Amino acid sequence: MEFFFEVLIGGLLSGVMYALVALGFVLIYKASGVFNFAQGAMVYLAALSVVGIMEWGAPLWLAVILAFAVMTAFGIGTEKFVLRKLVNQPPIALFMATIGLTFFIEGLAPMIFGSDPRALDIGIVDEPIPYILENWNMVISKFDLVAAGVASVLVATLALFFQYTRIGRALRAVADDHQAALSIGIPLQHIWAIVWGVAGFVALVAGMMWGARNGVQFALTFTALKALPVLILGGFTSVPGAIVGGLIIGASEKLAEIYIPPVMQDLFGGNFGGIEGWFPYVLALLFLLVRPEGLFGEKHIDRV
Amino acid sequence: MIKNFKPAVAAAAVSLAMLSQTAAAADQYFPIPSYRVGAYGANGQAFYGGFIDYLNYVNLKEKGVNGVQMTWEECETEYNNAKGIECYERLKGKAKDSAGPIHTMSTGISYALIDKSAQDKLPLAMMGYGRTDAVDGSVFPYAFPLVTTYQMQASAIVKFIKEKVGGNLAGKKIVYLYHDSAYGKEAIIAMEAEASLNKFSLVQIPVAHPGNEQNAQWLRIRQEKPDYVVFWGWGVMNQTALKSAQKVGFPREKMIGSWWTGSEEDVIPAGDAAKGFMAATWNVAGKQVPVIADIEKVVYGANKGNLQDKAKIGTVLYNRGVSAAVLSVEAIRKGQEKYGKGKALNGEQMRWALENLNITDARLKQIGATDLLPEIKTSCDNHEGSGKVKIQQWDGAKWVPVSGWIEGNKGLIHPLFQASAKQYAKEKGITPRDCSKEK
């Protein structure tokens, strides 16, 4: 039972890391109704900016500020050169634009900062907490707990921002209908620039946490793969949904990885395992059948 | 005037084209489907940088091999199988009369090219990757898994562990943690054979691609309490494993990885978590190898170096690229002994040369590559030629060899290749060559 709880808690903490990436998707989707394919690449760009700027001699705090400036400039540039031309176009056109953006970032970022995998030390050691290890014989990492704290603060801030600020309400209006929002005087261009900037900030936080955990390298773009089932579960438009979805996916995939393969081996023989790559997608697929809008997503009721 | 001028220009153009073709025929051409961008670009930059630097070195230092200059053309594959095939098709036309071995540094691309390259009679080198049963040259005449293979490497690692635990593995437990792909699964057969022979318990734990999450696997390893973890990782999986081992308190000194876990690019991103980690390698790192230091002096001194980042000179992957080029150039020397000095080799001649390599320690010393790689002697029924690796350990700043050359259990492993090759020949309707008649 002790082992079960160790796996469960470890999974929940991993899920928080997925939620950090999923948040960026939610932000863009809420503001434009578009699935931002480039979010994984943005995580890579942000983390690479931090280590790249540090290699030029800047301390961590300055590198983070400058990387945030890079992400903000990127957000404004995206609005000006990509999205502005696509106002009121079908969502698929915007989606395709974000695919192009992905390849652009994946080519440009290593060109500027180099493609060598690098370490990112943010001063938090990824080691078990001795007290928990000694008293409960469970491995709970300090780093994972800090990541959980960061994600909680981020989620709370963003939820309040969307719910209670003018810009937050404007964002939701824009997501519902670009043209209608424009007609009542909502400055669409500013709104998009702001939301892409905030998504850049979320990518920076996610990039730093994932980069400190596994190193800063091209594989950071793959973090997006972990965020997709989280979004399906939590709902594409819900900030709290991202974190709840993350927790469910993280815990279930770890428990599945531990407990399903032995059962499969007993039943069919052979060597099973490595199922956490596809298990979250199967779970998300099953969830889609029951609740297509996700746990916290907005339900669309169309008049026929 | 214009009427007369046109034919004259055309004639001059044709003459120039003929001259350039003649010149090209005297050069030894290397088609290089390389990768320097994308997810694994950093690995490709160091490997192909070392490979091309050595070709340049031979050109500069000794004006080519008996006057035959090395030439090459790169095509970017991005480590993508489809692009690898596209590059091969694009480059092979120029390799009709003059062809160096093709190094893809990708198991996937190598698999895709095995049949094509045999049809086109262009030799495919797979040094430390690719289809390992191609060791049996009677079935795979144009494929060369030179130096060593995943299975022989796994066997050599087990031999190293056996020595570490006092010569007896009976009752010990080894976890085989692997990338859940063809690459990761290649060594399972060897680990199982070794487990059966040495009576140790083997626990196999796969990690789904890309391997950036290994929480569950390492909690299980903590439960299993193994004596050693043998680790077949790739890319981000390597750093994640090292960090995860640190997280569950598993000593890195008890982890031994394959050669695709043992470059600087694999350990630096893991920071202190990598200290003490060991990995197999078929080439050593460092600039203490005379030829590496000389390349820096001669090639970079002449401003003809291939690397933008000179800091990569002497890294594991750079030296691996140099090692691959050393073998390729030594094959050209061997081929010229048979087919005529000062002449470029075509694909068939190069195939013969690769199959008749005999690079001794004395020869390695002559070319300044002492201990860079093991001795190699290939034949029709042994396209591997060595089967030896060293174990190196990361001390926090550099890789340090902690063993001599260790040969895997050939008697145990090679029959597995032969059985697999036989099966392949049956499926494809290939009649194996009679190796006793090959010279």
Side-chain angles (χ1 to χ4, degrees):
Chain A
M1 208 55 190
E2 194 181 72
F3 182 58
F4 173 84
F5 281 111
E6 190 177 41
V7 175
L8 178 69
I9 295 168
L12 290 170
L13 292 172
S14 292
V16 171
M17 295 288 284
Y18 305 159
L20 273 175
V21 183
L23 274 174
F25 283 99
V26 170
L27 280 173
I28 304 284
Y29 194 85
K30 271 179 90 81
S32 55
V34 166
F35 179 79
N36 176 24
F37 195 82
Q39 192 63 33
M42 283 168 67
V43 170
Y44 174 50
L45 172 65
L48 200 56
S49 302
V50 174
V51 292
I53 293 167
M54 282 175 78
E55 274 178 8
W56 294 341
L60 178 65
W61 64 268
L62 183 60
V64 172
I65 293 170
L66 291 174
F68 179 53
V70 168
M71 296 312 290
T72 307
F74 171 77
I76 293 167
T78 302
E79 186 282 318
K80 191 169 181 184
F81 299 110
V82 182
L83 302 176
R84 197 177 288 182
K85 323 280 182 195
L86 298 172
V87 172
N88 216 29
Q89 294 298 312
I92 189 68
L94 285 154
F95 174 66
M96 296 304 283
T98 66
I99 292 178
L101 210 54
T102 306
F103 290 110
F104 177 70
I105 297 170
E106 288 176 0
L108 185 74
M111 204 189 289
I112 298 170
F113 299 111
S115 60
D116 283 349
R118 277 160 278 186
L120 174 60
D121 184 3
I122 55 171
I124 312 158
V125 188
D126 201 357
E127 282 176 351
I129 297 167
Y131 181 80
I132 299 176
L133 189 63
E134 284 158 20
N135 290 286
W136 287 290
N137 191 29
M138 284 167 70
V139 170
I140 306 293
S141 156
K142 286 178 209 167
F143 184 91
D144 288 349
L145 281 183
V146 171
V150 169
S152 306
V153 171
L154 209 56
V155 166
T157 312
L158 290 172
L160 292 172
F161 172 75
F162 274 104
Q163 205 61 37
Y164 297 109
T165 64
R166 275 189 68 191
I167 294 174
R169 281 194 293 275
L171 285 171
R172 283 151 60 195
V174 168
D176 279 347
D177 192 322
H178 301 173
Q179 214 165 22
L182 274 170
S183 71
I184 57 165
I186 292 175
L188 185 64
Q189 289 153 7
H190 291 173
I191 293 292
W192 274 0
I194 288 169
V195 82
W196 276 80
V198 177
F201 174 71
V202 172
L204 176 62
V205 175
M208 285 182 64
M209 300 312 281
W210 276 95
R213 199 188 198 207
N214 296 344
V216 176
Q217 53 192 302
F218 190 89
L220 282 175
T221 60
F222 301 150
T223 54
L225 296 175
K226 288 286 185 186
L228 289 178
V230 171
L231 291 165
I232 295 169
L233 240 79
F236 277 78
T237 53
S238 170
V239 171
I243 197 123
V244 175
L247 293 174
I248 294 172
I249 291 291
S252 60
E253 72 171 17
K254 301 299 177 229
L255 290 170
E257 182 66 50
I258 292 287
Y259 293 106
I260 292 179
V263 177
M264 303 277 275
Q265 274 159 30
D266 287 346
L267 288 174
F268 306 108
N271 187 29
F272 289 89
I275 64 171
E276 64 184 324
W278 55 262
F279 182 82
Y281 286 90
V282 173
L283 192 68
L285 193 66
L286 294 173
F287 207 81
L288 270 178
L289 298 173
V290 184
R291 201 175 162 87
E293 68 277 8
L295 278 172
F296 300 92
E298 288 165 13
K299 209 167 199 170
H300 271 281
I301 300 169
D302 293 322
R303 194 183 293 272
V304 181
Chain B
M1 178 69 185
I2 291 171
K3 270 184 183 177
N4 291 336
F5 184 66
K6 271 184 178 172
V9 170
V14 168
S15 308
L16 270 174
M18 284 173 74
L19 270 174
S20 67
Q21 269 188 351
T22 313
D27 294 339
Q28 189 67 54
Y29 172 71
F30 284 81
I32 306 180
S34 62
Y35 51 93
R36 293 175 187 256
V37 299
Y40 308 109
N43 291 6
Q45 283 164 24
F47 178 86
Y48 288 105
F51 188 84
I52 290 172
D53 276 350
Y54 186 75
L55 298 184
N56 243 327
Y57 174 74
V58 171
N59 285 346
L60 291 166
K61 185 95 176 174
E62 49 182 304
K63 311 283 180 223
V65 177
N66 299 312
V68 176
Q69 291 275 308
M70 307 296 116
T71 60
W72 56 89
E73 188 175 339
E74 280 189 84
C75 176
E76 177 63 48
T77 68
E78 294 181 35
Y79 196 75
N80 175 306
N81 292 357
K83 286 187 180 171
I85 296 167
E86 194 183 317
C87 281
Y88 170 82
E89 293 295 340
R90 193 186 303 165
L91 297 172
K92 78 174 186 187
K94 292 184 186 172
K96 202 178 165 194
D97 301 318
S98 168
I102 299 168
H103 297 262
T104 67
M105 230 215 355
S106 156
T107 293
I109 298 173
S110 298
Y111 264 80
L113 295 181
I114 283 245
D115 293 338
K116 278 176 184 290
S117 63
Q119 281 161 15
D120 296 330
K121 297 190 172 172
L122 293 173
L124 188 66
M126 305 176 292
M127 298 161 122
Y129 57 87
R131 192 171 178 124
T132 53
D133 56 1
V135 165
D136 186 347
S138 69
V139 175
F140 298 94
Y142 279 86
F144 291 85
L146 286 167
V147 190
T148 182
T149 51
Y150 294 132
Q151 290 85 348
M152 284 293 274
Q153 174 185 209
S155 176
I157 290 173
V158 170
K159 197 187 238 182
F160 177 77
I161 294 173
K162 191 175 176 180
E163 198 179 291
K164 280 267 173 192
V165 298
N168 186 6
L169 281 168
K172 302 286 181 193
K173 187 186 274 186
I174 294 178
V175 162
Y176 178 63
L177 182 75
Y178 64 98
H179 191 265
D180 196 14
S181 62
Y183 150 67
K185 289 174 183 168
E186 285 267 10
I188 288 177
I189 191 169
M191 291 301 293
E192 285 176 341
E194 287 286 357
S196 169
L197 184 72
N198 287 294
K199 311 274 185 277
F200 64 83
S201 156
L202 178 69
V203 180
Q204 298 170 36
I205 304 181
V207 176
H209 177 76
N212 57 357
E213 257 300 312
Q214 294 175 36
N215 212 359
Q217 285 83 356
W218 281 93
L219 287 176
R220 190 172 159 209
I221 289 171
R222 186 167 170 261
Q223 285 285 101
E224 296 280 356
K225 296 187 177 63
D227 296 285
Y228 274 88
V229 169
V230 174
F231 168 52
W232 241 245
W234 175 238
V236 69
M237 180 181 159
N238 297 336
Q239 298 92 50
T240 308
L242 292 167
K243 288 269 196 170
S244 303
Q246 181 188 46
K247 195 188 283 186
V248 302
F250 189 83
R252 270 33 57 76
E253 294 78 6
K254 302 275 180 182
M255 283 175 76
I256 305 179
S258 74
W259 49 62
W260 295 124
T261 68
S263 71
E264 289 77 2
E265 288 81 352
D266 294 312
V267 286
I268 288 172
D272 287 342
K275 205 172 171 184
F277 169 61
M278 289 186 278
T281 184
W282 60 265
N283 66 279
V284 300
K287 292 184 190 175
Q288 78 286 352
V289 180
V291 71
I292 303 295
D294 208 31
I295 286 172
E296 189 170 20
K297 199 173 124 196
V298 173
V299 180
Y300 287 83
N303 221 11
K304 289 197 168 180
N306 187 264
L307 290 177
Q308 281 183 328
D309 179 9
K310 271 179 70 180
K312 284 183 188 290
I313 297 173
T315 60
V316 170
L317 290 174
Y318 179 87
N319 287 12
R320 189 163 297 163
V322 171
S323 303
V326 164
L327 291 183
S328 304
V329 170
E330 288 306 298
I332 292 166
R333 291 186 211 280
K334 184 76 186 175
Q336 286 194 11
E337 282 173 19
K338 181 176 167 80
Y339 296 105
K341 286 194 174 175
K343 288 181 181 171
L345 305 178
N346 64 25
E348 283 178 271
Q349 292 165 340
M350 182 60 76
R351 188 205 65 76
W352 178 89
L354 286 166
E355 200 167 273
N356 287 277
L357 281 175
N358 186 9
I359 306 173
T360 60
D361 279 339
R363 176 60 192 152
L364 287 171
K365 191 178 177 188
Q366 269 180 349
I367 55 176
T370 302
D371 225 21
L372 176 65
L373 66 163
E375 290 184 308
I376 288 160
K377 190 173 188 333
T378 54
S379 61
C380 165
D381 57 9
N382 185 358
H383 276 194
E384 184 183 41
S386 163
K388 290 178 185 169
V389 294
K390 275 193 181 192
I391 305 296
Q392 53 178 357
Q393 188 165 35
W394 182 249
D395 71 0
K398 62 183 183 307
W399 286 104
V400 180
V402 290
S403 81
W405 293 110
I406 304 170
E407 187 175 12
N409 187 341
K410 202 170 164 186
L412 182 73
I413 304 299
H414 273 218
L416 302 173
F417 294 144
Q418 283 147 9
S420 175
K422 199 174 167 187
Q423 179 65 25
Y424 180 83
K426 196 176 161 191
E427 283 167 13
K428 296 273 179 177
I430 297 169
T431 307
R433 291 184 295 160
D434 182 353
C435 280
S436 65
K437 290 180 183 164
E438 294 289 328
K439 280 183 185 174

